[in-house]
Amino acid sequence: MSARTIVITGGGAGIGRGVALLCAERGDHVAVLDKNAEAARETAADALARGAGGALGVRCDVSDEGQVERAFAEACGRFVAPYGIFANAGIDLGGLVHELPMETWRRVIDTNLTGVFLTCKHGLRHMLSAKTPGSIVCSSSPTGFVALAAGASGAYSATKGAISSLVRCMAIDYARYGIRVNAVVPGATETQLMWQNVAAGEIARMREQLSQEIPLGRLAQPDDPARAVVWLLSEESAYVTGSHLVCDGGILAKASISV
Ligand SMILES: NC(=O)c1ccc[n+]([C@@H]2O[C@H](COP(=O)([O-])OP(=O)(O)OC[C@H]3O[C@@H](n4cnc5c(N)ncnc54)[C@H](O)[C@@H]3O)[C@@H](O)[C@H]2O)c1
């Protein structure tokens, strides 16, 4: 396997970190972009220890175009143009629509949706100018398809539905250049994001309840969706574009009413 450059946003934690470490194990050059500079550098150091051909941790807020542009320039200056991009950085701020402050709505849209747009925009520019084929994976969610039963997830869900639409459009636009674009749909995955809207004292009870409700009987660990992403980034999925790889333990397959 030849070394590829893989750029991962939100790679300082959770699913993005999992993808960075799995890519490292196959010898890739890994560029970890995260607004948390320390976490990005820590993942990059761990990636080197796991066998990455090279690794770089860059502070980058994906909602800021200048930072995204500079981060790609730094990664492509250090390594070759990216073969793979995981546009993954995201936040989940809940709230009912009639109560949601404009600032919260904007933060979620700017990070999740504009962040994916900017990551793809600048990543594609490098891929196109290097004339390299490649693979882009964006993080969608079951909330892009169905409303969460717990509710109050309008802003987050709206970004995930939009990401799914953007993925289909980019798949068509860049197929002629040999660039595939797909979405991963992780289910409930044990990360900071999963529990940030849940009171600390409620987490154990909720984990137990969710495990009973999820058909496969457990929440995902970050490596579960990360392995799906690594497959989409690989030649093994050479004929897959514009699609969604659902890695949710069966959540979306299950009707929510008891009949
Ligand atoms: N965890 C789940 O259950 C789940 C389910 C479905 C989809 N997802 C999606 O997967 C993606 C990753 O989520 P996770 O669970 O690994 O989250 P996480 O909170 O563990 O990690 C997210 C990372 O993104 C970084 N980040 C946040 N805002 C950023 C910004 N503006 N610029 C750059 N980096 C930023 C954080 O610092 C963090 O390192 C998200 O898009 C999320 O919506 C997660």
Side-chain angles (χ1 to χ4, degrees), residues 164-183:
S164 290
S165 302
L166 183 60
V167 160
R168 283 185 283 269
C169 294
M170 292 191 293
I172 302 307
D173 289 341
Y174 299 102
R176 76 196 69 160
Y177 303 104
I179 299 170
R180 300 181 294 110
V181 187
N182 292 286

Side-chain angles (χ1 to χ4, degrees), residues 10 12-16 34-36 60-62 88-91 111 139-142 156 160 186-189 191-194:
I15 300 165
D34 203 292
K35 72 173 183 196
N36 181 338
C60 172
D61 179 341
V62 292
N88 161 73
I91 55 171
T111 304
S139 283
S140 186
S141 159
Y156 179 80
K160 295 303 178 178
T189 307
T191 66
Q192 300 159 17
L193 180 141
M194 171 71 213

Side-chain angles (χ1 to χ4, degrees), residues 26-124:
R26 71 180 298 294
D28 290 329
H29 295 121
V30 176
V32 180
L33 279 47
D34 203 292
K35 72 173 183 196
N36 181 338
E38 204 181 317
R41 283 194 289 267
E42 204 172 291
T43 299
D46 291 345
L48 274 179
R50 294 262 192 120
L56 181 66
V58 186
R59 194 185 90 79
C60 172
D61 179 341
V62 292
S63 66
D64 180 319
E65 181 158 23
Q67 290 189 33
V68 175
E69 191 170 11
R70 282 191 293 278
F72 271 98
E74 191 176 343
C76 297
R78 176 82 77 90
F79 311 126
V80 294
Y83 174 87
I85 295 171
F86 184 31
N88 161 73
I91 55 171
D92 179 8
L93 304 176
L96 292 168
V97 163
H98 76 283
E99 296 169 341
L100 201 66
M102 195 60 200
E103 193 205 331
T104 306
W105 170 262
R106 282 213 182 95
R107 268 188 68 198
V108 177
I109 300 284
D110 288 354
T111 304
N112 295 9
L113 180 55
T114 307
V116 166
F117 158 69
L118 290 174
T119 301
C120 293
K121 173 177 172 177
H122 290 283
L124 279 162

